[in-house]
């Protein structure tokens, strides 16, 4: 905010079109998170998995489940310190 308030404002307005200062693009984040998610859900067994992460990956996974456009990613509420369940059904693996 102190070094590039305008770029940060643009990111908050439309994260799919603007990369935060010093950060990765939403496309890069999406590819990284979805690749990790596929590794997790492709593992054998039906165990529960605890993932500890920040709101970006949580929003991406919730968007993928709900069909929310990436441009609306920041409209998905992710409270601080929340435990959020994401179910992966066998037919979605």
């Amino acid at each position: 905010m102190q070094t590039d308030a305008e770029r940060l404002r643009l990111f908050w307005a439309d994260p799919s079109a603007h990369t935060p200062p010093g950060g990765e693009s939403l496309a890069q984040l999406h590819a990284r998170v979805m690749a990790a998610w596929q590794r997790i859900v492709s593992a054998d067994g039906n165990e529960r998995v605890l993932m500890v992460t920040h709101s970006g990956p949580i929003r991406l996974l919730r968007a993928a489940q709900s069909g929310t456009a990436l441009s609306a990613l920041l409209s998905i509420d992710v409270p601080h310190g929340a435990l959020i369940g994401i179910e992966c059904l066998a037919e979605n693996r």
Side-chain angles (χ1 to χ4, degrees):
M1 188 68 142
Q2 293 175 342
T3 59
D4 202 339
E6 180 60 13
R7 278 185 56 206
L8 190 57
R9 183 194 68 74
L10 290 170
F11 167 72
W12 284 105
D14 185 356
S16 62
H18 302 280
T19 300
E24 64 187 333
S25 72
L26 187 55
Q28 291 168 321
L29 176 64
H30 183 266
R32 184 169 55 86
V33 168
M34 297 315 289
W37 179 251
Q38 283 303 313
R39 284 192 305 273
I40 291 167
V41 301
S42 295
D44 289 336
N46 292 319
E47 305 91 25
R48 290 180 178 218
V49 175
L50 174 66
M51 296 184 339
V52 179
T53 188
H54 60 86
S55 63
I58 295 169
R59 283 186 174 103
L60 282 169
L61 292 171
R62 290 181 74 189
Q65 277 194 327
S66 66
T68 301
L70 292 182
S71 60
L73 198 66
L74 296 176
S75 68
I76 298 172
D77 184 40
V78 179
H80 293 287
L83 179 62
I84 297 173
I86 298 176
E87 186 174 351
C88 179
L89 302 175
E91 62 268 14
N92 294 335
R93 290 182 185 205

Coordinates of all heavy atoms in Angstrom, one line a residue:
M1 N 0.8 -1.2 0.0 CA 0.0 0.0 0.0 C 0.9 1.3 0.0 O 0.6 2.2 -0.7 CB -0.9 0.0 1.2 CG -1.9 1.0 1.2 SD -3.1 0.7 -0.1 CE -4.6 1.2 0.6
Q2 N 2.0 1.2 0.7 CA 2.9 2.4 0.8 C 3.7 2.6 -0.4 O 4.0 3.7 -0.8 CB 3.8 2.2 2.0 CG 3.1 2.3 3.3 CD 4.0 2.0 4.5 OE1 5.1 1.5 4.3 NE2 3.6 2.4 5.7
T3 N 4.0 1.5 -1.1 CA 4.9 1.7 -2.3 C 4.2 1.7 -3.6 O 4.7 2.2 -4.6 CB 5.9 0.5 -2.3 OG1 5.3 -0.7 -2.4 CG2 6.8 0.6 -1.1
D4 N 3.0 1.1 -3.7 CA 2.3 1.1 -5.0 C 0.8 0.9 -4.8 O 0.1 -0.1 -5.1 CB 2.8 0.0 -5.9 CG 2.5 0.2 -7.3 OD1 1.6 1.0 -7.7 OD2 3.2 -0.4 -8.1
A5 N 0.2 2.0 -4.2 CA -1.3 1.9 -3.8 C -2.2 1.7 -5.0 O -3.2 1.0 -5.0 CB -1.6 3.2 -3.0
E6 N -1.8 2.3 -6.1 CA -2.6 2.2 -7.3 C -2.7 0.8 -7.9 O -3.8 0.3 -8.2 CB -2.2 3.2 -8.4 CG -3.0 3.1 -9.7 CD -4.5 3.5 -9.5 OE1 -4.9 4.0 -8.5 OE2 -5.2 3.2 -10.5
R7 N -1.5 0.1 -8.0 CA -1.5 -1.3 -8.4 C -2.3 -2.2 -7.5 O -3.0 -3.1 -7.9 CB -0.1 -1.8 -8.6 CG 0.5 -1.3 -10.0 CD 1.8 -1.9 -10.3 NE 1.8 -3.3 -10.3 CZ 3.0 -4.0 -10.0 NH1 4.1 -3.4 -9.8 NH2 2.9 -5.3 -10.0
L8 N -2.2 -1.9 -6.2 CA -2.9 -2.7 -5.2 C -4.4 -2.5 -5.3 O -5.2 -3.4 -5.3 CB -2.4 -2.4 -3.8 CG -2.9 -3.3 -2.7 CD1 -2.6 -4.8 -3.0 CD2 -2.4 -2.9 -1.4
R9 N -4.8 -1.2 -5.6 CA -6.2 -0.9 -5.8 C -6.8 -1.6 -7.0 O -7.9 -2.2 -7.0 CB -6.4 0.6 -5.9 CG -7.9 1.0 -6.1 CD -8.1 2.4 -6.6 NE -7.6 2.6 -7.9 CZ -8.3 2.2 -9.0 NH1 -9.4 1.5 -8.9 NH2 -7.8 2.5 -10.2
L10 N -6.0 -1.6 -8.1 CA -6.4 -2.3 -9.3 C -6.6 -3.8 -9.1 O -7.5 -4.5 -9.5 CB -5.4 -2.1 -10.4 CG -5.4 -0.7 -11.0 CD1 -4.2 -0.5 -11.9 CD2 -6.7 -0.3 -11.7
F11 N -5.6 -4.4 -8.3 CA -5.7 -5.8 -8.0 C -7.0 -6.1 -7.2 O -7.8 -7.0 -7.5 CB -4.5 -6.3 -7.1 CG -4.7 -7.6 -6.5 CD1 -4.7 -8.8 -7.3 CD2 -5.0 -7.7 -5.1 CE1 -4.9 -10.0 -6.7 CE2 -5.1 -9.0 -4.5 CZ -5.1 -10.1 -5.3
W12 N -7.3 -5.3 -6.2 CA -8.6 -5.5 -5.4 C -9.8 -5.3 -6.3 O -10.8 -5.9 -6.0 CB -8.6 -4.6 -4.2 CG -7.7 -5.2 -3.1 CD1 -6.4 -4.7 -2.7 CD2 -7.9 -6.3 -2.3 NE1 -5.9 -5.4 -1.8 CE2 -6.7 -6.5 -1.5 CE3 -8.9 -7.3 -2.2 CZ2 -6.6 -7.5 -0.5 CZ3 -8.8 -8.3 -1.2 CH2 -7.6 -8.4 -0.4
A13 N -9.7 -4.4 -7.3 CA -10.9 -4.2 -8.2 C -11.1 -5.4 -9.1 O -12.2 -5.7 -9.4 CB -10.7 -2.9 -8.9
D14 N -10.0 -6.0 -9.6 CA -10.1 -7.1 -10.6 C -8.9 -7.9 -10.5 O -7.9 -7.7 -11.3 CB -10.4 -6.6 -12.0 CG -10.6 -7.7 -13.0 OD1 -10.6 -8.9 -12.6 OD2 -10.9 -7.4 -14.2
P15 N -8.9 -8.9 -9.6 CA -7.6 -9.7 -9.4 C -7.3 -10.5 -10.7 O -6.1 -10.9 -10.8 CB -8.0 -10.6 -8.3 CG -9.5 -10.7 -8.2 CD -9.9 -9.3 -8.8
S16 N -8.2 -10.8 -11.5 CA -7.9 -11.6 -12.7 C -7.1 -10.8 -13.8 O -6.4 -11.4 -14.6 CB -9.1 -12.3 -13.3 OG -10.0 -11.3 -13.8
A17 N -7.2 -9.5 -13.7 CA -6.6 -8.6 -14.7 C -5.3 -7.9 -14.2 O -4.6 -7.4 -15.0 CB -7.6 -7.6 -15.2
H18 N -5.2 -7.9 -12.9 CA -4.1 -7.2 -12.3 C -3.3 -8.0 -11.2 O -4.0 -8.5 -10.3 CB -4.6 -5.9 -11.6 CG -5.3 -5.0 -12.6 ND1 -4.7 -4.2 -13.5 CD2 -6.6 -4.8 -12.9 CE1 -5.5 -3.5 -14.2 NE2 -6.8 -3.9 -13.9
T19 N -2.0 -8.0 -11.3 CA -1.2 -8.8 -10.4 C -0.8 -7.8 -9.2 O -0.5 -6.7 -9.5 CB 0.1 -9.3 -11.1 OG1 -0.3 -10.1 -12.2 CG2 1.0 -10.0 -10.1
P20 N -0.9 -8.3 -8.0 CA -0.5 -7.5 -6.9 C 1.0 -7.2 -6.9 O 1.7 -8.0 -7.4 CB -0.9 -8.3 -5.6 CG -0.9 -9.7 -6.1 CD -1.3 -9.6 -7.5
P21 N 1.4 -6.0 -6.4 CA 2.8 -5.7 -6.5 C 3.6 -6.7 -5.8 O 3.3 -7.1 -4.7 CB 2.8 -4.3 -5.7 CG 1.5 -3.8 -5.8 CD 0.5 -5.0 -5.8
G22 N 4.6 -7.2 -6.5 CA 5.5 -8.3 -5.9 C 4.9 -9.6 -5.8 O 5.5 -10.5 -5.3
G23 N 3.7 -9.8 -6.4 CA 3.0 -11.1 -6.2 C 3.0 -11.9 -7.6 O 3.4 -11.5 -8.6
E24 N 2.4 -13.1 -7.5 CA 2.2 -13.9 -8.7 C 0.8 -13.5 -9.3 O -0.1 -13.1 -8.6 CB 2.3 -15.4 -8.4 CG 1.2 -15.9 -7.4 CD 1.4 -17.3 -7.0 OE1 2.1 -18.1 -7.8 OE2 1.0 -17.7 -5.9
S25 N 0.7 -13.8 -10.5 CA -0.6 -13.5 -11.2 C -1.7 -14.5 -10.7 O -1.3 -15.6 -10.2 CB -0.5 -13.6 -12.7 OG -0.3 -15.0 -13.1
L26 N -2.9 -14.1 -10.9 CA -4.0 -15.0 -10.5 C -3.9 -16.3 -11.3 O -4.2 -17.4 -10.8 CB -5.3 -14.3 -10.7 CG -6.5 -15.1 -10.2 CD1 -6.4 -15.5 -8.7 CD2 -7.8 -14.3 -10.4
A27 N -3.5 -16.2 -12.6 CA -3.4 -17.4 -13.4 C -2.3 -18.3 -12.8 O -2.5 -19.6 -12.8 CB -3.1 -17.0 -14.8
Q28 N -1.2 -17.8 -12.4 CA -0.1 -18.6 -11.8 C -0.6 -19.2 -10.5 O -0.3 -20.4 -10.3 CB 1.1 -17.7 -11.6 CG 1.8 -17.3 -12.8 CD 2.8 -16.2 -12.5 OE1 2.6 -15.3 -11.7 NE2 4.0 -16.2 -13.2
L29 N -1.2 -18.4 -9.7 CA -1.7 -19.0 -8.4 C -2.8 -20.1 -8.6 O -2.7 -21.1 -8.0 CB -2.4 -17.8 -7.6 CG -3.0 -18.3 -6.3 CD1 -2.0 -18.8 -5.3 CD2 -3.8 -17.1 -5.6
H30 N -3.7 -19.8 -9.6 CA -4.7 -20.8 -9.9 C -4.0 -22.1 -10.4 O -4.4 -23.2 -9.9 CB -5.6 -20.3 -11.0 CG -6.7 -21.2 -11.4 ND1 -6.6 -22.1 -12.4 CD2 -7.9 -21.4 -10.8 CE1 -7.7 -22.8 -12.5 NE2 -8.6 -22.4 -11.5
A31 N -3.0 -22.1 -11.3 CA -2.4 -23.3 -11.8 C -1.7 -24.0 -10.6 O -1.8 -25.2 -10.5 CB -1.4 -22.9 -12.8
R32 N -1.0 -23.3 -9.7 CA -0.3 -23.9 -8.6 C -1.2 -24.6 -7.6 O -1.0 -25.7 -7.2 CB 0.6 -22.8 -7.9 CG 1.4 -23.3 -6.8 CD 2.4 -22.3 -6.4 NE 1.8 -21.0 -5.9 CZ 1.4 -20.8 -4.7 NH1 1.4 -21.7 -3.8 NH2 0.9 -19.6 -4.4
V33 N -2.3 -23.9 -7.3 CA -3.3 -24.4 -6.3 C -4.0 -25.6 -6.9 O -4.2 -26.6 -6.2 CB -4.3 -23.3 -5.9 CG1 -5.4 -23.9 -5.1 CG2 -3.5 -22.3 -5.0
M34 N -4.5 -25.5 -8.1 CA -5.2 -26.6 -8.7 C -4.3 -27.8 -8.9 O -4.8 -29.0 -8.8 CB -5.9 -26.2 -10.0 CG -7.0 -25.1 -9.8 SD -8.1 -25.3 -8.4 CE -9.1 -26.6 -9.0
A35 N -3.1 -27.7 -9.2 CA -2.2 -28.8 -9.4 C -2.0 -29.5 -8.0 O -2.0 -30.7 -7.9 CB -0.8 -28.4 -9.9
A36 N -1.8 -28.7 -7.0 CA -1.7 -29.3 -5.6 C -3.0 -30.0 -5.2 O -3.0 -31.1 -4.7 CB -1.4 -28.2 -4.6
W37 N -4.1 -29.4 -5.5 CA -5.4 -30.0 -5.2 C -5.6 -31.3 -5.9 O -6.0 -32.3 -5.3 CB -6.6 -29.0 -5.6 CG -7.9 -29.6 -5.3 CD1 -8.8 -29.9 -6.3 CD2 -8.5 -29.7 -4.0 NE1 -10.0 -30.4 -5.6 CE2 -9.8 -30.3 -4.3 CE3 -8.1 -29.5 -2.7 CZ2 -10.7 -30.6 -3.2 CZ3 -9.0 -29.8 -1.7 CH2 -10.3 -30.3 -2.0
Q38 N -5.2 -31.4 -7.2 CA -5.3 -32.6 -7.9 C -4.4 -33.7 -7.3 O -4.8 -34.9 -7.3 CB -4.9 -32.4 -9.4 CG -6.0 -31.8 -10.2 CD -7.3 -32.5 -10.1 OE1 -7.4 -33.8 -10.3 NE2 -8.4 -31.8 -9.8
R39 N -3.2 -33.4 -6.8 CA -2.3 -34.3 -6.2 C -3.0 -34.9 -4.9 O -2.9 -36.0 -4.6 CB -1.0 -33.7 -5.8 CG -0.1 -33.6 -7.0 CD 1.4 -33.2 -6.7 NE 1.5 -32.0 -5.8 CZ 1.6 -30.8 -6.3 NH1 1.5 -30.6 -7.6 NH2 1.7 -29.8 -5.4
I40 N -3.6 -34.0 -4.2 CA -4.3 -34.4 -2.9 C -5.5 -35.3 -3.2 O -5.6 -36.4 -2.6 CB -4.7 -33.1 -2.1 CG1 -3.5 -32.4 -1.6 CG2 -5.6 -33.5 -0.9 CD1 -3.7 -31.0 -1.1
V41 N -6.4 -34.9 -4.1 CA -7.6 -35.7 -4.3 C -7.3 -37.0 -5.1 O -8.1 -37.9 -5.1 CB -8.7 -34.9 -5.0 CG1 -9.1 -33.7 -4.1 CG2 -8.4 -34.4 -6.4
S42 N -6.2 -37.0 -5.8 CA -5.9 -38.2 -6.6 C -5.2 -39.3 -5.7 O -5.1 -40.5 -6.1 CB -4.9 -37.9 -7.7 OG -5.6 -37.0 -8.6
A43 N -4.8 -39.0 -4.5 CA -4.2 -39.9 -3.6 C -5.1 -41.1 -3.3 O -6.3 -40.8 -3.2 CB -3.7 -39.2 -2.3
D44 N -4.6 -42.2 -3.1 CA -5.5 -43.4 -2.7 C -6.1 -43.1 -1.3 O -5.6 -42.5 -0.5 CB -4.6 -44.7 -2.6 CG -4.2 -45.1 -4.0 OD1 -4.9 -44.8 -5.0 OD2 -3.2 -45.8 -4.1
G45 N -7.3 -43.7 -1.2 CA -8.0 -43.6 0.1 C -9.0 -42.5 0.2 O -9.1 -41.7 -0.7
N46 N -9.8 -42.5 1.2 CA -10.8 -41.5 1.4 C -10.5 -40.8 2.7 O -11.4 -40.4 3.5 CB -12.2 -42.2 1.5 CG -12.6 -42.7 0.1 OD1 -12.3 -42.1 -0.9 ND2 -13.1 -43.9 0.1
E47 N -9.3 -40.5 3.0 CA -8.9 -39.8 4.3 C -9.3 -38.4 4.2 O -9.4 -37.8 3.2 CB -7.4 -39.9 4.6 CG -6.8 -41.3 4.6 CD -6.3 -41.7 3.2 OE1 -6.0 -40.8 2.4 OE2 -6.3 -42.9 2.9
R48 N -9.5 -37.8 5.4 CA -9.6 -36.4 5.5 C -8.2 -35.8 5.5 O -7.3 -36.4 6.0 CB -10.3 -36.0 6.8 CG -11.8 -36.4 6.8 CD -12.4 -36.0 8.1 NE -13.8 -36.3 8.1 CZ -14.8 -35.6 8.6 NH1 -14.5 -34.5 9.2 NH2 -16.0 -36.0 8.5
V49 N -8.1 -34.6 4.9 CA -6.8 -34.0 4.8 C -7.0 -32.6 5.4 O -7.9 -31.8 5.1 CB -6.4 -33.9 3.3 CG1 -5.1 -33.1 3.2 CG2 -6.2 -35.2 2.7
L50 N -6.0 -32.2 6.2 CA -6.0 -30.8 6.7 C -5.0 -30.0 5.9 O -3.8 -30.4 5.9 CB -5.6 -30.8 8.2 CG -5.4 -29.4 8.8 CD1 -6.8 -28.7 8.9 CD2 -4.8 -29.5 10.2
M51 N -5.4 -29.0 5.3 CA -4.5 -28.1 4.6 C -4.6 -26.7 5.3 O -5.6 -26.2 5.6 CB -5.0 -27.8 3.2 CG -5.0 -29.1 2.3 SD -5.5 -28.8 0.6 CE -6.4 -27.4 0.4
V52 N -3.4 -26.2 5.6 CA -3.3 -24.9 6.2 C -2.8 -23.9 5.2 O -1.7 -24.1 4.7 CB -2.4 -24.9 7.5 CG1 -2.2 -23.6 8.1 CG2 -2.9 -26.0 8.5
T53 N -3.5 -22.9 4.9 CA -3.2 -22.0 3.8 C -3.8 -20.6 4.0 O -4.6 -20.5 5.0 CB -3.6 -22.6 2.4 OG1 -3.0 -21.8 1.4 CG2 -5.1 -22.7 2.3
H54 N -3.5 -19.7 3.2 CA -4.1 -18.4 3.3 C -5.4 -18.3 2.4 O -5.8 -19.3 1.8 CB -3.1 -17.3 2.9 CG -2.6 -17.4 1.5 ND1 -3.2 -16.8 0.5 CD2 -1.4 -18.0 1.1 CE1 -2.5 -17.0 -0.6 NE2 -1.4 -17.7 -0.3
S55 N -6.0 -17.2 2.4 CA -7.3 -17.0 1.8 C -7.3 -17.2 0.3 O -8.3 -17.6 -0.3 CB -8.0 -15.7 2.2 OG -7.2 -14.6 1.7
G56 N -6.2 -16.9 -0.4 CA -6.2 -17.0 -1.9 C -6.5 -18.4 -2.3 O -7.4 -18.6 -3.1
P57 N -5.8 -19.4 -1.9 CA -6.1 -20.8 -2.3 C -7.5 -21.3 -1.8 O -8.2 -22.0 -2.6 CB -5.0 -21.6 -1.6 CG -3.8 -20.7 -1.5 CD -4.5 -19.4 -1.2
I58 N -7.9 -20.8 -0.7 CA -9.3 -21.2 -0.2 C -10.3 -20.6 -1.2 O -11.2 -21.3 -1.6 CB -9.5 -20.7 1.2 CG1 -8.6 -21.5 2.2 CG2 -11.0 -20.9 1.6 CD1 -8.5 -20.9 3.6
R59 N -10.1 -19.4 -1.5 CA -11.1 -18.7 -2.5 C -11.1 -19.4 -3.8 O -12.1 -19.7 -4.4 CB -10.7 -17.3 -2.6 CG -11.1 -16.4 -1.5 CD -10.9 -14.9 -1.8 NE -11.4 -14.1 -0.8 CZ -10.7 -13.5 0.2 NH1 -9.4 -13.7 0.2 NH2 -11.3 -12.8 1.1
L60 N -9.9 -19.8 -4.3 CA -9.8 -20.5 -5.6 C -10.5 -21.9 -5.5 O -11.3 -22.2 -6.5 CB -8.3 -20.7 -6.0 CG -7.6 -19.5 -6.5 CD1 -6.1 -19.8 -6.6 CD2 -8.2 -19.2 -7.9
L61 N -10.4 -22.6 -4.5 CA -11.0 -23.9 -4.4 C -12.5 -23.7 -4.2 O -13.3 -24.5 -4.8 CB -10.5 -24.7 -3.2 CG -9.0 -25.2 -3.4 CD1 -8.5 -25.8 -2.1 CD2 -8.9 -26.1 -4.5
R62 N -13.0 -22.8 -3.4 CA -14.4 -22.5 -3.3 C -15.0 -22.0 -4.6 O -16.1 -22.4 -5.0 CB -14.7 -21.5 -2.2 CG -14.3 -22.2 -0.8 CD -14.6 -21.3 0.3 NE -16.0 -21.1 0.5 CZ -16.6 -20.3 1.4 NH1 -15.8 -19.4 2.1 NH2 -17.9 -20.2 1.5
A63 N -14.2 -21.2 -5.4 CA -14.7 -20.7 -6.7 C -14.9 -21.9 -7.6 O -15.8 -22.0 -8.4 CB -13.8 -19.7 -7.2
A64 N -13.9 -22.8 -7.6 CA -14.0 -24.0 -8.5 C -15.2 -24.8 -8.2 O -15.9 -25.3 -9.1 CB -12.7 -24.8 -8.4
Q65 N -15.5 -25.0 -6.9 CA -16.7 -25.8 -6.5 C -18.0 -25.1 -6.9 O -18.9 -25.8 -7.3 CB -16.7 -26.0 -5.0 CG -15.8 -27.2 -4.6 CD -16.1 -27.6 -3.1 OE1 -16.4 -26.8 -2.3 NE2 -16.0 -28.8 -2.9
S66 N -18.0 -23.8 -6.8 CA -19.3 -23.1 -7.0 C -19.5 -22.6 -8.4 O -20.5 -22.1 -8.8 CB -19.4 -21.9 -6.0 OG -18.4 -20.9 -6.3
G67 N -18.4 -22.6 -9.2 CA -18.5 -22.1 -10.6 C -18.3 -20.6 -10.6 O -18.7 -20.0 -11.6
T68 N -17.8 -20.0 -9.6 CA -17.6 -18.5 -9.5 C -16.4 -18.1 -10.4 O -15.4 -18.8 -10.4 CB -17.3 -18.1 -8.1 OG1 -18.4 -18.5 -7.2 CG2 -17.0 -16.6 -8.0
A69 N -16.6 -17.1 -11.2 CA -15.6 -16.6 -12.1 C -14.4 -16.1 -11.3 O -14.6 -15.5 -10.2 CB -16.1 -15.5 -13.0
L70 N -13.2 -16.2 -11.8 CA -12.0 -15.8 -11.1 C -12.0 -14.3 -10.9 O -11.4 -13.8 -10.0 CB -10.7 -16.2 -11.9 CG -10.5 -17.7 -11.9 CD1 -9.2 -18.0 -12.6 CD2 -10.4 -18.3 -10.5
S71 N -12.7 -13.5 -11.8 CA -12.7 -12.1 -11.7 C -13.5 -11.7 -10.4 O -13.4 -10.6 -9.9 CB -13.3 -11.4 -12.9 OG -14.6 -11.9 -13.1
A72 N -14.3 -12.6 -9.9 CA -15.2 -12.3 -8.7 C -14.6 -13.0 -7.5 O -15.2 -13.1 -6.4 CB -16.6 -12.8 -8.9
L73 N -13.3 -13.4 -7.6 CA -12.7 -14.2 -6.5 C -12.7 -13.5 -5.1 O -13.0 -14.1 -4.1 CB -11.3 -14.5 -6.9 CG -10.6 -15.6 -6.1 CD1 -11.2 -16.9 -6.4 CD2 -9.1 -15.7 -6.5
L74 N -12.5 -12.2 -5.1 CA -12.4 -11.5 -3.9 C -13.8 -11.3 -3.2 O -13.9 -10.8 -2.1 CB -11.7 -10.2 -4.1 CG -10.2 -10.3 -4.4 CD1 -9.5 -9.0 -4.7 CD2 -9.4 -11.1 -3.4
S75 N -14.9 -11.6 -3.9 CA -16.2 -11.5 -3.3 C -16.5 -12.7 -2.5 O -17.5 -12.7 -1.7 CB -17.3 -11.4 -4.4 OG -17.4 -12.6 -5.2
I76 N -15.7 -13.8 -2.5 CA -15.8 -15.0 -1.7 C -15.3 -14.7 -0.3 O -14.1 -14.3 -0.1 CB -15.1 -16.2 -2.3 CG1 -15.7 -16.5 -3.7 CG2 -15.2 -17.4 -1.4 CD1 -15.0 -17.5 -4.5
D77 N -16.2 -14.8 0.7 CA -15.8 -14.4 2.1 C -15.0 -15.6 2.7 O -15.4 -16.7 2.7 CB -17.0 -14.2 2.9 CG -16.7 -13.8 4.3 OD1 -15.7 -13.0 4.5 OD2 -17.4 -14.2 5.3
V78 N -13.8 -15.2 3.2 CA -13.0 -16.2 3.9 C -12.5 -15.5 5.2 O -11.6 -14.7 5.2 CB -11.7 -16.6 3.1 CG1 -10.9 -17.6 3.9 CG2 -12.2 -17.3 1.8
P79 N -13.2 -15.8 6.3 CA -12.8 -15.1 7.6 C -11.4 -15.5 8.1 O -11.0 -16.6 7.7 CB -13.9 -15.6 8.6 CG -15.0 -16.2 7.7 CD -14.4 -16.6 6.4
H80 N -10.8 -14.7 8.8 CA -9.5 -14.9 9.4 C -9.6 -16.1 10.3 O -10.5 -16.2 11.1 CB -8.9 -13.7 10.1 CG -8.6 -12.6 9.2 ND1 -7.5 -12.6 8.4 CD2 -9.3 -11.4 9.0 CE1 -7.5 -11.4 7.7 NE2 -8.6 -10.7 8.1
G81 N -8.6 -17.0 10.2 CA -8.5 -18.1 11.2 C -9.7 -19.1 11.1 O -10.0 -19.8 12.1
A82 N -10.4 -19.2 10.0 CA -11.6 -20.0 9.8 C -11.2 -21.5 9.5 O -10.2 -21.7 8.8 CB -12.5 -19.5 8.8
L83 N -12.0 -22.4 9.9 CA -11.9 -23.8 9.4 C -13.0 -24.0 8.4 O -14.2 -23.8 8.6 CB -12.1 -24.7 10.6 CG -12.1 -26.2 10.3 CD1 -10.7 -26.6 9.8 CD2 -12.4 -27.1 11.5
I84 N -12.5 -24.2 7.1 CA -13.5 -24.3 6.0 C -13.4 -25.7 5.4 O -12.3 -26.1 5.0 CB -13.1 -23.2 5.0 CG1 -13.3 -21.8 5.6 CG2 -14.0 -23.4 3.7 CD1 -12.9 -20.7 4.8
G85 N -14.5 -26.4 5.3 CA -14.6 -27.7 4.7 C -14.8 -27.6 3.3 O -15.6 -26.9 2.8
I86 N -14.0 -28.4 2.5 CA -14.2 -28.5 1.1 C -14.3 -30.0 0.8 O -13.3 -30.8 1.0 CB -13.0 -27.9 0.3 CG1 -13.0 -26.4 0.6 CG2 -13.2 -28.1 -1.2 CD1 -11.8 -25.7 0.0
E87 N -15.4 -30.4 0.3 CA -15.6 -31.9 0.1 C -15.3 -32.2 -1.4 O -15.7 -31.5 -2.3 CB -17.1 -32.2 0.4 CG -17.4 -33.7 0.3 CD -18.8 -34.0 0.7 OE1 -19.5 -33.1 1.2 OE2 -19.2 -35.2 0.5
C88 N -14.6 -33.3 -1.5 CA -14.3 -33.8 -2.9 C -15.0 -35.2 -3.0 O -14.7 -36.1 -2.4 CB -12.8 -34.0 -3.0 SG -12.4 -34.6 -4.6
L89 N -16.0 -35.2 -3.9 CA -16.7 -36.4 -4.1 C -16.0 -37.3 -5.0 O -15.2 -36.8 -5.9 CB -18.1 -36.1 -4.7 CG -19.0 -35.1 -3.9 CD1 -20.2 -34.8 -4.6 CD2 -19.3 -35.8 -2.5
A90 N -16.1 -38.6 -4.9 CA -15.4 -39.6 -5.7 C -15.5 -39.3 -7.2 O -14.5 -39.5 -7.9 CB -15.8 -41.0 -5.3
E91 N -16.7 -38.9 -7.6 CA -16.8 -38.7 -9.1 C -16.1 -37.5 -9.6 O -16.0 -37.3 -10.8 CB -18.3 -38.7 -9.5 CG -19.1 -37.5 -8.8 CD -19.8 -37.9 -7.5 OE1 -19.5 -39.0 -6.9 OE2 -20.6 -37.1 -7.1
N92 N -15.6 -36.6 -8.7 CA -14.9 -35.4 -9.1 C -13.4 -35.6 -9.0 O -12.7 -34.7 -9.2 CB -15.3 -34.2 -8.2 CG -16.8 -33.8 -8.4 OD1 -17.3 -34.1 -9.4 ND2 -17.3 -33.3 -7.4
R93 N -12.9 -36.8 -8.8 CA -11.5 -37.0 -8.7 C -10.9 -37.3 -10.1 O -11.5 -37.7 -11.0 CB -11.2 -38.2 -7.8 CG -11.5 -37.9 -6.4 CD -11.2 -39.0 -5.5 NE -11.7 -38.6 -4.2 CZ -11.2 -39.1 -3.1 NH1 -10.3 -40.0 -3.1 NH2 -11.6 -38.7 -1.9

